[in-house]
């Protein structure tokens, strides 16, 4: 049976369409932690869904790789992670994934890295271990400036793997940047008009957020949540809490150390929760900005001086 030239042309076009459709399958994208998922999901909006490796309640500082984790990693086309000083469990397995593109955000061009010495400027303790003495603070996602750099690095990787969706990725990047501009503008006002109560955090993770918005942490309970802080550190911290008068303490939902209650007992302390891993934030169109806004709102709301008890009693009456 012979085909006419027109039929052959139609057949060739159909084959090209089928081939293009087969090649248009979006990449499978995995991030190590939720904050990176929030960023990546905004950049892939309209293209695909981004999965996350660490589930709620897990800490990247101490996570142990499970068989289910290994399967996720092996099936991913792209993996975005922070770096060896944060996810120490990842480098070995990533080195063996030949068909997977893994991108460590701490190595992104233009990323701002704070030295651990910059963060560790409140109380020194010879029993604390700052992320196994790594030189730089890995909590880079708590800076919106770093988030912009990471987003650009992510889009560059996405386009290299999935050029068919280049325009969508670049459009999403532009929208993401605009949202961060709005968040920064609002958050700077919140911090400028906030109260002056000192605040203390669970672990030494908030240097980038401090730098971004001009906040100042008065002290922290530990430099590494995987280690019990030393007695000398806790004694010095208790003295700072006593001198502070009215103050705020922020726990983290992944850790529930009893020593926070012991040190704050009998003091004029308001206890709140800061979650640097964004466990309660659902990935979506503006999820990273919502995460940063919530962090700033939680801090600045607590910094407001509480009303005197006499005023509260009179208003209640």
């Amino acid at each position: 049976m012979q085909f006419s030239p027109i039929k052959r042309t139609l057949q060739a076009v159909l084959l090209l369409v089928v081939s293009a459709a087969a090649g248009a399958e979006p990449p499978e994208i995995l991030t190590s932690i939720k904050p990176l998922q929030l960023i990546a999901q905004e950049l892939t909006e309209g293209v695909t869904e981004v999965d996350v490796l660490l589930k709620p309640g897990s800490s990247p500082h101490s996570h142990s790789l499970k068989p289910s984790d290994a399967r996720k990693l092996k099936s991913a086309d792209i993996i975005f992670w922070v770096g060896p000083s944060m996810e120490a469990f990842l480098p070995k397995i990533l080195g063996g994934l030949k068909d997977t593109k893994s991108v460590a955000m701490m190595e992104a061009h233009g990323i701002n890295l704070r030295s651990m010495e910059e963060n560790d400027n409140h109380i020194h303790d010879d029993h604390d271990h700052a992320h196994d003495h790594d030189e730089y603070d890995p909590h880079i996602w708590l800076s919106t400036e770093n988030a912009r750099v990471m987003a650009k690095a992510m889009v560059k990787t996405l386009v290299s793997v999935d050029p068919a969706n280049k325009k969508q990725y670049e459009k999403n990047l532009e929208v993401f940047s605009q949202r961060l501009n709005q968040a920064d503008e609002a958050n700077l006002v919140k911090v400028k008009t906030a109260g002056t109560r000192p605040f203390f955090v669970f672990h030494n993770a908030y240097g980038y957020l401090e730098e971004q918005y001009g906040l100042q942490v008065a002290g922290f309970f530990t430099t590494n949540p995987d280690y019990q802080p030393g007695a000398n550190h806790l004694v010095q911290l208790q003295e700072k809490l006593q001198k502070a008068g009215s103050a705020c303490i922020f726990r983290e939902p992944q850790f529930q150390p009893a020593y926070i209650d012991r040190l704050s007992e009998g003091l004029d302390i308001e206890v709140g929760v800061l979650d640097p891993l964004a466990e309660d934030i659902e990935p979506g169109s503006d999820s990273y900005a919502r995460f940063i806004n919530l962090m700033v709102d939680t801090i600045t709301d607590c910094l407001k001086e509480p009303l005197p008890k006499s005023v509260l009693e009179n208003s209640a009456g």
Side-chain angles (χ1 to χ4, degrees):
M1 181 177 179
Q2 294 186 348
F3 292 94
S4 69
I6 293 177
K7 285 185 176 180
R8 289 196 186 96
T9 302
L10 287 172
Q11 187 181 46
V13 170
L14 286 171
L15 285 172
L16 285 172
V17 170
V18 170
S19 299
E25 187 74 20
E28 290 193 28
I29 305 164
L30 181 68
T31 66
S32 58
I33 59 174
K34 185 76 168 288
L36 297 188
Q37 182 194 25
L38 301 183
I39 298 172
Q41 188 60 66
E42 293 193 50
L43 300 174
T44 58
E45 188 174 358
V47 179
T48 189
E49 298 292 321
V50 177
D51 200 0
V52 63
L53 188 65
L54 268 66
K55 297 303 181 184
S58 301
S59 168
H61 297 282
S62 56
H63 186 73
S64 296
L65 203 63
K66 302 178 179 64
S68 58
D69 296 333
R71 287 192 294 270
K72 271 190 174 184
L73 289 163
K74 289 175 181 177
S75 66
D77 298 305
I78 302 173
I79 298 168
F80 295 123
W81 59 303
V82 179
S85 56
M86 176 58 73
E87 307 98 331
F89 61 92
L90 274 182
K92 185 175 180 180
I93 188 169
L94 290 180
L97 301 180
K98 303 303 180 185
D99 298 324
T100 302
K101 186 178 287 287
S102 68
V103 184
M105 294 290 99
M106 287 185 76
E107 297 175 6
H109 177 70
I111 205 81
N112 170 42
L113 295 177
R114 290 176 55 87
S115 71
M116 290 307 298
E117 289 182 0
E118 283 183 274
N119 270 21
D120 193 12
N121 60 2
H122 302 294
I123 300 175
H124 297 277
D125 177 21
D126 55 3
H127 289 86
D128 273 345
H129 302 273
H131 299 288
D132 297 326
H133 303 286
D134 284 319
E135 184 178 356
Y136 296 108
D137 177 5
H139 303 88
I140 54 175
W141 65 89
L142 293 178
S143 157
T144 54
E145 285 304 311
N146 278 342
R148 289 179 176 87
V149 172
M150 290 188 285
K152 289 179 182 177
M154 287 180 179
V155 166
K156 183 177 180 180
T157 301
L158 290 167
V159 169
S160 71
V161 173
D162 182 26
N165 287 300
K166 179 176 185 287
K167 287 185 178 179
Q168 186 65 49
Y169 294 137
E170 291 178 344
K171 177 183 176 183
N172 291 343
L173 176 61
E174 185 177 346
V175 173
F176 178 78
S177 182
Q178 291 170 355
R179 288 175 179 144
L180 289 197
N181 290 341
Q182 294 168 358
D184 283 344
E185 185 177 347
N187 289 331
L188 286 168
V189 171
K190 294 173 194 173
V191 172
K192 187 176 181 179
T193 57
T196 57
R197 294 173 82 191
F199 72 100
F200 298 77
V201 295
F202 170 60
H203 91 286
N204 188 14
Y206 301 92
Y208 293 103
L209 190 68
E210 290 181 76
E211 185 178 78
Q212 185 72 57
Y213 294 126
L215 293 162
Q216 187 169 1
V217 172
F220 49 83
F221 287 83
T222 181
T223 53
N224 189 327
D226 294 330
Y227 294 93
Q228 176 80 12
N232 181 53
H233 177 87
L234 293 180
V235 167
Q236 292 181 61
L237 184 59
Q238 188 170 41
E239 291 175 355
K240 293 190 70 150
L241 287 168
Q242 291 170 344
K243 290 178 181 178
S246 179
C248 302
I249 287 177
F250 293 106
R251 298 175 174 271
E252 292 176 15
Q254 297 82 20
F255 308 96
Q256 301 296 331
Y259 52 76
I260 291 181
D261 293 327
R262 291 200 306 269
L263 293 183
S264 59
E265 187 176 0
L267 301 177
D268 184 11
I269 298 290
E270 184 176 344
V271 179
V273 177
L274 281 178
D275 182 9
L277 292 177
E279 287 187 357
D280 292 333
I281 305 292
E282 287 298 319
S285 60
D286 63 345
S287 52
Y288 177 79
R290 283 190 283 115
F291 161 56
I292 291 296
N293 290 343
L294 179 60
M295 297 282 285
V296 174
D297 286 343
T298 301
I299 293 171
T300 54
D301 285 350
C302 194
L303 295 185
K304 298 172 184 174
E305 291 290 344
L307 291 172
K309 288 184 179 180
S310 59
V311 174
L312 294 174
E313 289 170 357
N314 290 334
S315 62

